[in-house]
Amino acid sequence: MRRRGETMILGLFVHPAGHHVAAWRDPAAWTLRQLHEHVALARMAEAAGLDLYFLADFVEVQLESIEAAGRKAHNGVYGFEPLTLLSALAATTRSIGLVATASTSFSDPYVLARQVASLDHLSGGRAGWNAVTSADPGAAFNFGHQSPLPHAARYARAQEFVDVAQGLWDSWDDDAFVEDRATGRFFDPAGLRRLDHVGDHFRVRGPLNIPRPPQGRPIVVQAGSSEAGKALAARTADLVFTAQSSPATATAFYADLKGRLPAHGRRPGDLKILPGLVPIVAATRAEAQTKLEKLQVLVDPVVGLDLLRNLSGGAPLPPLDLDAPLPPRPPSETAQGRQSLVLDLARREGLNVRELYLRLAPGRGHGQVVGDPGDVADAMQHLFETHGCDGFNLMPAVLPGGLTDFIDLVLPELARRGLVGERPDGVTLRERLGLARPAWPRDETKARSAAS
Ligand SMILES: Cc1cc2nc3c(=O)[nH]c(=O)nc-3n(C[C@H](O)[C@H](O)[C@H](O)COP(=O)(O)O)c2cc1C
């Protein structure tokens, strides 16, 4: 079972105050509304050897939450635009990967490909893009639509969007810019390729007005778990971020997704899978449990119920008996993957409504471990070695405390077990993650003519 020589990829998924729904009520939590807090957090993660600074993004204020939870609503009320924030962090970090979430439903592929390529150049090859379809129904109203976009339509556009962005990154050959001062030749026209894309959603001539990014193509991350989401990931993603509530579902998801790669001419190692993980760790199990309890008592039932509404499909909840199981929910048009996760979790663990929202409070249904350093390292090692993941996207319940706990208590244990290694300095994110740099299409032509 041991994956010899392999080490875990570890990302830091950053959420204002931390991932626990009540984290912002902890006086030690950082609001992360100030650049210096992000700079400090990113440097902390980088110094500890973590691989990614990962930012989610939602292009709306969830008015449904404000209706349901009133002024207690806070989740998703604010957030910086990730590419803007990561551009600032590119200047204050040296080696950590910078992953921005951006919507395929409400962005433009030429603009986005250019922004991500720019971040890749400016950061020395450390950019990643988490391509999401913006499932929250209200987002559509900020972009000229009169109704939310259906699931299938969002994914059809997403597929074409990613194809266009990746095609644009290939606009220039790696050595196209010869800049020969003596002859006055700035670039080699043979190294330039127009895209001339005409599809159902986009018409994009190209080329992109920026040289090929240092990574060739910046890292593409995908985070949907529905059939359509998995199909998109298998075809195009380098990294998948996923919510898995148990080791059994994680290993099934891992085998399913890796098994889809050969159909696209890809090998299992070409796609890395990172489930989210909320580690709540202290020197002893009892102290870790106390840490969790201190947060759980801060969960107002109104906020807990709204979290449950949101994650179980989004439709309003009828009046509920908190001590009874959650009644059946209408099928979600929005986030199908998360809805089935929550409903399965409730069934599997036999949770009533109150227990269910408290179970979701630390990490919205992602994996969570509460215990001493050995417990957390055991859970991570087990999932890694039984082929349930290639690493984790860490979701500290409170920031920065949850991160420093992990760094101080769990990382040394993982290192002792040989599960995390030294990361070379001065390499691109692709190299860091063990992913091959995509050859520019002309390289294949060159290789063919050299062989003939
Ligand atoms: C772990 C994870 C993280 C996600 N992060 C975001 C995000 O930051 N912004 C967003 O609009 N959607 C996000 N999503 C939603 C997905 O991109 C997708 O739109 C949604 O899950 C619906 O797809 P599905 O039905 O394939 O699961 C995330 C989903 C998962 C599973």
Side-chain angles (χ1 to χ4, degrees):
M1 276 303 184
R2 180 92 206 190
R3 299 167 60 158
R4 216 162 304 181
E6 277 190 86
T7 52
M8 292 173 181
I9 297 166
L10 293 178
L12 174 65
F13 176 7
V14 177
H15 192 281
H19 285 270
H20 193 286
V21 72
W24 70 276
R25 300 182 67 185
D26 181 331
W30 289 358
T31 61
L32 291 172
R33 261 178 285 180
Q34 314 256 4
L35 179 60
H36 70 85
E37 292 178 336
H38 281 282
V39 169
L41 204 58
R43 284 187 171 153
M44 218 183 272
E46 179 170 80
L50 300 194
D51 298 300
L52 310 170
Y53 198 80
F54 181 101
L55 296 172
D57 193 44
F58 298 90
V59 282
E60 64 153 346
V61 168
Q62 287 193 1
L63 292 180
E64 301 93 332
S65 277
I66 291 184
E67 254 166 49
R71 63 197 162 146
K72 290 176 175 169
H74 72 287
N75 229 10
V77 168
Y78 64 81
F80 289 125
E81 191 288 303
L83 283 161
T84 311
L85 172 55
L86 293 179
S87 301
L89 297 183
T92 56
T93 55
R94 296 182 52 229
S95 60
I96 194 166
L98 305 169
V99 182
T101 295
S103 174
T104 53
S105 298
F106 307 119
S107 313
D108 172 83
Y110 192 93
V111 174
L112 190 87
R114 186 174 179 224
Q115 289 169 316
V116 176
S118 300
L119 180 63
D120 205 47
H121 279 284
L122 296 172
S123 65
R126 296 188 279 135
W129 163 40
N130 179 30
V132 298
T133 66
S134 298
D136 295 293
F141 301 121
N142 292 331
F143 298 92
H145 298 274
Q146 293 186 341
S147 56
L149 305 181
H151 194 268
R154 280 191 279 118
Y155 270 106
R157 181 180 156 109
Q159 183 63 70
E160 195 180 327
F161 193 117
V162 176
D163 287 347
V164 170
Q166 291 183 324
L168 287 170
W169 290 330
D170 289 342
S171 291
W172 298 91
D173 205 348
D174 288 321
D175 54 8
F177 292 89
V178 289
E179 295 184 39
D180 188 335
R181 287 176 177 83
T183 62
R185 218 164 128 241
F186 186 62
F187 74 94
D188 173 6
L192 165 64
R193 191 171 71 109
R194 275 167 44 162
L195 188 62
D196 289 323
H197 173 88
V198 179
D200 293 338
H201 301 87
F202 308 107
R203 289 179 79 92
V204 184
R205 187 196 62 189
L208 197 63
N209 56 345
I210 186 165
R212 195 159 194 250
Q215 297 185 88
R217 294 175 173 184
I219 296 294
V220 170
V221 187
Q222 211 283 328
S225 292
S226 61
E227 268 308 303
K230 286 189 278 197
L232 173 63
R235 216 181 122 217
T236 46
D238 298 297
L239 206 66
V240 162
F241 175 35
T242 177
Q244 299 295 332
S245 64
S246 77
T249 61
T251 44
F253 179 83
Y254 188 90
D256 175 2
L257 203 47
K258 297 259 174 169
R260 292 171 191 241
L261 296 176
H264 301 283
R266 306 180 73 198
R267 289 161 309 167
D270 294 343
L271 172 71
K272 308 291 183 186
I273 300 178
L274 307 186
L277 179 71
V278 184
I280 299 183
V281 63
T284 66
R285 286 180 186 169
E287 283 172 65
Q289 201 59 46
T290 307
K291 244 181 214 176
L292 173 62
E293 283 312 315
K294 277 189 179 158
L295 289 166
Q296 297 289 61
V297 296
L298 297 174
V299 180
D300 190 305
V302 170
V303 172
L305 284 171
D306 182 54
L307 181 69
L308 180 55
R309 174 198 63 75
N310 188 348
L311 298 175
S312 65
L317 290 173
L320 289 177
D321 175 358
L322 299 191
D323 297 310
L326 182 70
R329 299 279 285 143
S332 171
E333 239 313 314
T334 55
Q336 297 170 356
R338 190 61 61 98
Q339 179 180 45
S340 42
L341 179 150
V342 170
L343 302 181
D344 290 349
L345 179 69
R347 210 172 308 126
R348 200 173 59 236
E349 299 188 8
L351 305 174
N352 67 30
V353 169
R354 184 188 294 102
E355 290 163 339
L356 182 55
Y357 74 61
L358 285 174
R359 176 74 171 75
L360 297 171
R364 304 182 295 284
H366 283 269
Q368 57 194 53
V369 191
V370 186
D372 64 28
D375 294 330
V376 179
D378 284 351
M380 294 176 74
Q381 180 169 11
H382 178 74
L383 201 64
F384 183 64
E385 291 186 350
T386 55
H387 300 276
C389 69
D390 297 306
F392 297 88
N393 214 3
L394 299 169
M395 302 170 49
V398 178
L399 284 169
L403 176 63
T404 47
D405 288 345
F406 183 85
I407 292 172
D408 294 345
L409 299 171
V410 183
L411 267 187
E413 182 58 27
L414 293 175
R416 201 183 58 73
R417 299 180 188 194
L419 294 166
V420 291
E422 285 288 308
R423 298 287 191 219
D425 221 5
V427 299
T428 66
L429 178 56
R430 262 187 192 284
E431 287 165 323
R432 205 178 158 98
L433 301 181
L435 292 165
R437 187 178 191 276
W440 192 80
R442 202 168 64 122
D443 290 352
E444 290 166 24
T445 327
K446 275 185 199 160
R448 268 202 304 278
S449 49
S452 59

